[in-house]
Amino acid sequence: MSESTASSGTEIEPFRIDIPQADLDNLRARLNGTRWPDQLPGVGWDYGIPLDYVKELAEYWRDGYDWRGQERRLNEFPQFTTTIDGQNVHFLHVRSAEPGALPLVMTHGWPGSIAEFMEVIGPLTDPAAHGGDPADAFHLVVPAIPGYGFSGPTRERGWNVRRVAQAWDELMRRLGYQRYGAQGGDWGSSISRELGVIVPEHLIGVHLNMLTPVPSDQVELSDEDKARVEVLRRFRSTGSGYGAIQSTRPQTLAYGLTDSPAGQLAWIAEKFGEWTDGDLPDDAVDRDQLLTNVTIYWLTGTAGSSARLYYEAARSGGWGPPAPSTAPTGIAVFPKEIARPVRPLAELSNNIVHWSEFDRGGHFAAMEEPDLLVGDVREFFRRFR
């Protein structure tokens, strides 16, 4: 799968993605032999992702999508592996040529991967080449969460949000970064925020593009804020079935998703349909980038191990009220997020120093609106340079 194996001790080993052709041939054959389900007429998305759309996407994945081209794009970014707390960790490490660049660890979520950040890495590490100010440059570290992609699978219980955050702090220390910023959405938001809880002395600041509102009777909410909380309630009652399954039966789910690429595709693409700012997933994100994300899950066989993060979070207080964070925190609010952050609630447990509201974009901000996300990350971190 790569030119290196997982490293031992604290060594950092170069890594290059190199998928055997036999694996790609197997993927194509499986897509060609998909056993499709039926569907009721005229139901659209009411029962889940529509059959005709998944068929179209699977056909393109089989006959039009170019993994080798995407593999070359990913390999343009320097990447490495190391072992932390007994777990293989794969990461991109893209250093800026600018002498004053600020170290920043960016973390994806589910159903994302390092492929989420392909369009923001260049502008963040080399702003001058993308019409920006060289003073806004970052050294970027983009790790794959244990259990995800080329960091997967996990080999033991207990890889919850706090343990991942502890691993990230160790990773940044190994790379020579004693103080750094953190950025993320979805699980990346939880992990980035947790860094501000457990090692605030190492955190320059935390920038999040997701922060789920936690209802409280301690503050008065505006009608708009109440509407945002109501969206969260509706999501939990009608849109969170995937989370219930992944937090209770990830192993059972894994058999179907690991055996059927069409199943893996539908499981992920549905979320891009529901959580993005568009009628269809590829109205909001580039179709090839979406399929690169799906293909990473398929080729690494990490449908089950990525879902285990939900299981671990449910058993370690991950769904409860957040611990207070003193780290300076910036929030970017995109309108089609699963549940938009509510500032009065966020301020109960976070040191909010920056808050931006955008008129477009959704859950996968780095893929949907990379320019908006890059601009907000730059603006937030300028105060710490």
Side-chain angles (χ1 to χ4, degrees), residues 30-286:
R30 285 173 178 267
L31 286 169
N32 196 50
T34 300
R35 185 178 182 224
W36 294 104
D38 73 317
Q39 178 175 292
L40 294 173
V43 297
W45 286 72
D46 291 350
Y47 287 70
I49 190 168
L51 176 61
D52 58 351
Y53 181 69
V54 181
K55 279 187 171 181
E56 178 198 346
L57 205 54
E59 181 179 348
Y60 178 76
W61 194 14
R62 184 190 66 199
D63 298 330
Y65 170 76
D66 177 17
W67 165 259
R68 290 302 186 199
Q70 296 293 306
E71 187 179 66
R72 285 191 294 273
R73 277 201 70 195
L74 287 168
N75 281 330
E76 290 174 1
F77 303 120
Q79 50 195 292
F80 307 87
T81 59
T82 192
T83 301
I84 301 176
D85 193 11
Q87 173 66 35
N88 178 58
V89 173
H90 169 248
F91 62 98
L92 312 182
H93 183 201
V94 187
R95 288 187 58 84
S96 175
E98 299 297 333
L102 190 154
L104 179 66
V105 57
M106 298 189 78
T107 310
H108 65 87
W110 184 92
S113 69
I114 58 168
E116 281 188 49
F117 301 110
M118 290 167 67
E119 302 304 323
V120 303
I121 291 173
L124 288 173
T125 57
D126 189 6
H130 296 82
D133 185 343
D136 285 328
F138 295 89
H139 299 308
L140 280 191
V141 179
V142 183
I145 298 172
Y148 288 69
F150 298 102
S151 286
T154 46
R155 303 294 184 186
E156 62 182 1
R157 291 175 179 262
W159 276 100
N160 55 32
V161 165
R162 171 156 292 198
R163 191 171 176 184
V164 176
Q166 290 168 336
W168 277 197
D169 187 57
E170 170 62 16
L171 174 62
M172 297 302 277
R173 185 195 65 78
R174 286 187 194 179
L175 294 173
Y177 301 131
Q178 301 304 318
R179 297 194 73 239
Y180 54 89
Q183 198 286 325
D186 196 89
W187 283 120
S189 172
S190 300
I191 293 163
S192 299
R193 187 185 179 281
E194 188 69 14
L195 281 164
V197 174
I198 64 173
V199 286
E201 68 278 11
H202 297 174
L203 264 290
I204 295 169
V206 177
H207 183 278
L208 310 175
N209 56 280
M210 179 182 180
L211 186 66
T212 303
V214 179
S216 171
D217 57 7
Q218 296 181 48
V219 294
E220 286 289 328
L221 299 181
S222 67
D223 289 343
E224 164 65 17
D225 289 339
K226 290 176 182 176
R228 294 184 181 191
V229 174
E230 181 57 31
V231 168
L232 175 62
R233 289 197 180 101
R234 287 200 302 270
F235 167 76
R236 286 179 170 165
S237 64
T238 64
S240 61
Y242 75 97
I245 293 171
Q246 295 192 154
S247 61
T248 57
R249 296 295 185 271
Q251 186 64 35
T252 306
L253 175 68
Y255 297 106
L257 301 190
T258 305
D259 188 58
S260 168
Q264 178 70 92
L265 174 64
W267 191 248
I268 289 178
E270 182 195 72
K271 299 310 163 199
F272 277 82
E274 292 185 340
W275 300 346
T276 54
D277 192 3
D279 293 331
L280 292 173
D282 42 354
D283 291 338
V285 302
D286 177 76

Side-chain angles (χ1 to χ4, degrees), residues 289-332:
Q289 191 179 13
L290 168 61
L291 286 173
T292 297
N293 183 64
V294 176
T295 306
I296 288 172
Y297 279 83
W298 174 260
L299 293 174
T300 58
T302 49
S305 61
S306 62
R308 288 199 282 265
L309 181 54
Y310 286 78
Y311 184 96
E312 300 295 348
R315 285 150 186 80
S316 58
W319 307 131
S325 172
T326 59
T329 300
I331 307 295

